[in-house]
């Protein structure tokens, strides 16, 4: 346990040091590009927050493409500042194109943060369809018999559980359970639900 805590502490210390250095590089670059006072400190905060938001979308969000896109944008901004302040750029004479990039960053960060924080209408529509799919299947009549697809054997425990679900449905409704409802109750793919339903007959 102590060894695990020691490894965890080392990782946290390394992360804090790396974050502090990156934060300082972004501040120095923003300050050299003409963003003085509190604005120079706001730049590294916006870059880090965009990185966190993009990483959160990659871990839990439905749209991985948007997460990767904005993660790479924020990572490029952070790495660019680290490289630029490593002696490759004269901070006393920052080129005009870099001043333009730094001045335009807040709009880019605002757009990325907004898109990552709020799902697109298409995503909301898909989520709504998923939420309404299960109640609708319970109201459907028995589906016509179709050929049962081949596949690996269904575990006996899963078949036994399906029998209990089917029996409870029959006792409650007075009619046999259909494949769509069985699939929704078990939370399994349609092909597997069809194979299970075939064994319940």
């Amino acid at each position: 346990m102590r060894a695990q805590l020691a490894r965890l502490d080392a990782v946290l210390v390394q992360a804090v040091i790396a974050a502090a250095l990156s934060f300082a590089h972004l501040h120095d670059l923003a300050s050299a590009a003409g963003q003085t006072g509190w604005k120079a400190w706001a730049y590294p905060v916006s870059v880090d927050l965009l990185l966190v938001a993009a990483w959160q979308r990659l871990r839990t969000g439905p749209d991985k493409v948007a997460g990767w896109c904005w993660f790479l944008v924020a990572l490029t901004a952070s790495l660019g500042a680290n490289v630029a302040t490593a002696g490759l750029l004269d901070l006393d004479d920052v080129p005009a194109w870099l001043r333009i990039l730094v001045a335009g960053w807040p709009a880019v960060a605002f757009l990325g943060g907004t898109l990552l924080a709020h799902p697109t209408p298409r995503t909301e529509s898909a989520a709504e369809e998923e939420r309404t799919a299960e109640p609708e299947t319970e109201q459907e009549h028995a589906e016509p018999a179709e050929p049962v697809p081949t596949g690996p054997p269904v575990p006996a425990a899963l078949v036994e559980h399906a029998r209990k679900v089917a029996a409870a449905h029959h006792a409650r409704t007075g009619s046999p359970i259909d494949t769509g409802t069985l699939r929704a109750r078990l939370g399994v793919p349609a092909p597997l639900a069809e194979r299970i339903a075939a064994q319940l007959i």
Side-chain angles (χ1 to χ4, degrees):
M1 183 64 177
R2 291 182 178 179
Q4 184 177 1
L5 290 176
R7 288 195 298 270
L8 181 60
D9 290 344
V11 171
L12 290 176
V13 170
Q14 175 66 20
V16 170
I17 293 174
L21 290 173
S22 179
F23 193 94
H25 290 158
L26 284 163
H27 168 268
D28 293 345
L29 183 63
S31 180
Q35 306 297 324
T36 58
W38 67 269
K39 292 182 289 185
W41 293 107
Y43 273 82
V45 173
S46 70
V47 172
D48 290 344
L49 287 179
L50 186 59
L51 273 172
V52 172
W55 179 247
Q56 185 71 14
R57 172 61 68 87
L58 287 174
R59 293 185 60 201
T60 61
D63 189 359
K64 306 298 183 184
V65 176
W68 275 116
C69 175
W70 291 106
F71 181 81
L72 292 176
V73 169
L75 184 62
T76 300
S78 180
L79 289 176
N82 293 337
V83 173
T85 56
L88 300 180
L89 180 68
D90 184 4
L91 296 182
D92 295 326
D93 186 19
V94 176
W97 62 265
L98 184 55
R99 291 178 181 271
I100 294 174
L101 287 179
V102 172
W105 170 256
V108 175
F110 177 77
L111 175 63
T114 301
L115 293 177
L116 290 172
H118 301 284
T120 62
R122 181 178 180 181
T123 302
E124 292 177 347
S125 176
E128 183 65 24
E129 290 177 0
E130 291 177 0
R131 287 194 295 267
T132 57
E134 291 188 2
E136 290 177 357
T137 55
E138 294 183 359
Q139 300 174 2
E140 295 175 354
H141 297 289
E143 299 175 355
E146 297 180 359
V148 179
T150 59
V154 181
L158 181 56
V159 175
E160 184 61 26
H161 177 62
R163 292 187 189 280
K164 294 179 181 179
V165 171
H169 178 84
H170 186 271
R172 187 175 66 255
T173 64
S175 60
I177 192 170
D178 59 89
T179 305
T181 304
L182 182 65
R183 178 192 64 80
R185 295 292 179 81
L186 297 179
V188 298
L192 178 57
E194 292 176 359
R195 295 202 303 274
I196 296 174
Q199 298 190 37
L200 299 181
I201 299 176

